[in-house]
């Protein structure tokens, strides 16, 4: 009887914690975006103009604003302004390095043409006989490739339980074992420390 009660209680915890954490993150994001409305002058605040409060209005306005900025950037004048802004930032030594690193990271993740983090591979790391999951970021090029005898690829090896940190390594393409699991399944496996295993692909 005690085992059944314990098992039921643990099942309840396992079921409710992901739901609560997901809801908490979503509500936190909505609250953060709603706070962005505070930059609008008080007399033009939606709560002042409307007779009732609209939850999540900040999310809608933020998404619209992002879309409008995207349209401006894709226009001829907007593109020239971005180039001018990047030229100006490029003249500031410390800021230049931070901006370029962040821009390359964002381009790698959100670019439609980017193949980064779309392939999961298995490699022998940190030594022979031990394996680690890694994500292919790109093919190795430039001096790093010129100084190797084999065709290589750039890999990112995430850490557990925080996959946003990890290691960058260059590995010969022949040493990779390509996996059938998706990037999402690989992240679940890494974050859980191997507890949550993906279903076997056929």
């Amino acid at each position: 009887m005690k085992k059944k009660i314990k098992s039921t209680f643990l099942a309840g915890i396992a079921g409710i914690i992901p739901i609560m954490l997901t809801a908490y993150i979503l509500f936190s994001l909505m609250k953060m975006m709603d706070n962005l409305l505070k930059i609008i002058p008080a007399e033009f605040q939606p709560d002042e103009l409307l007779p009732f409060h609209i939850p999540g209005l900040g999310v809608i306005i933020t998404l619209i604003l992002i879309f409008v900025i995207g349209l401006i950037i894709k226009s001829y004048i907007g593109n020239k302004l971005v180039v001018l802004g990047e030229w100006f930032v490029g003249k500031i030594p410390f800021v230049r390095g931070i901006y370029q690193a962040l821009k390359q990271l964002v381009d790698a993740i959100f670019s439609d043409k980017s193949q980064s983090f779309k392939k999961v591979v298995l490699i022998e790391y940190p030594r022979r006989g031990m394996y680690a999951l890694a994500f292919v970021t790109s093919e190795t090029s430039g001096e790093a490739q010129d100084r190797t005898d084999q065709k290589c690829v750039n890999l990112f090896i995430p850490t557990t339980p925080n996959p946003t940190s990890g290691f960058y390594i260059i590995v010969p393409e022949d040493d990779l074992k390509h996996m059938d699991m998706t990037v999402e399944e690989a992240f679940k496996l890494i974050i859980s420390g191997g507890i949550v295993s993906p279903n076997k692909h056929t």
Side-chain angles (χ1 to χ4, degrees), residues 27 30-31 34 37 46-47 50 52-60:
F27 281 121
M30 290 179 63
K31 185 177 180 180
D34 282 339
L37 296 178
D47 288 341
L50 299 175
F52 51 85
H53 174 69
I54 303 178
L57 185 60
V59 177
I60 298 173

Side-chain angles (χ1 to χ4, degrees), residues 109-127:
I109 295 174
F110 293 102
S111 174
D112 292 335
K113 297 180 180 179
S114 174
Q115 295 299 314
S116 61
F117 288 88
K118 292 185 178 179
K119 293 181 181 178
V120 183
V121 295
L122 193 67
I123 62 169
E124 289 192 89
Y125 182 88
R127 64 169 175 79

Side-chain angles (χ1 to χ4, degrees), residues 105-155:
L105 177 61
V106 172
D107 287 343
I109 295 174
F110 293 102
S111 174
D112 292 335
K113 297 180 180 179
S114 174
Q115 295 299 314
S116 61
F117 288 88
K118 292 185 178 179
K119 293 181 181 178
V120 183
V121 295
L122 193 67
I123 62 169
E124 289 192 89
Y125 182 88
R127 64 169 175 79
R128 293 288 179 182
M130 298 180 68
Y131 294 89
L133 287 177
F135 300 103
V136 177
T137 58
S138 64
E139 293 184 355
T140 306
S141 59
E143 184 180 358
Q145 177 60 65
D146 295 339
R147 292 183 178 273
T148 58
D149 298 328
Q150 305 177 60
K151 183 180 179 182
C152 297
V153 295
N154 299 321
L155 298 181

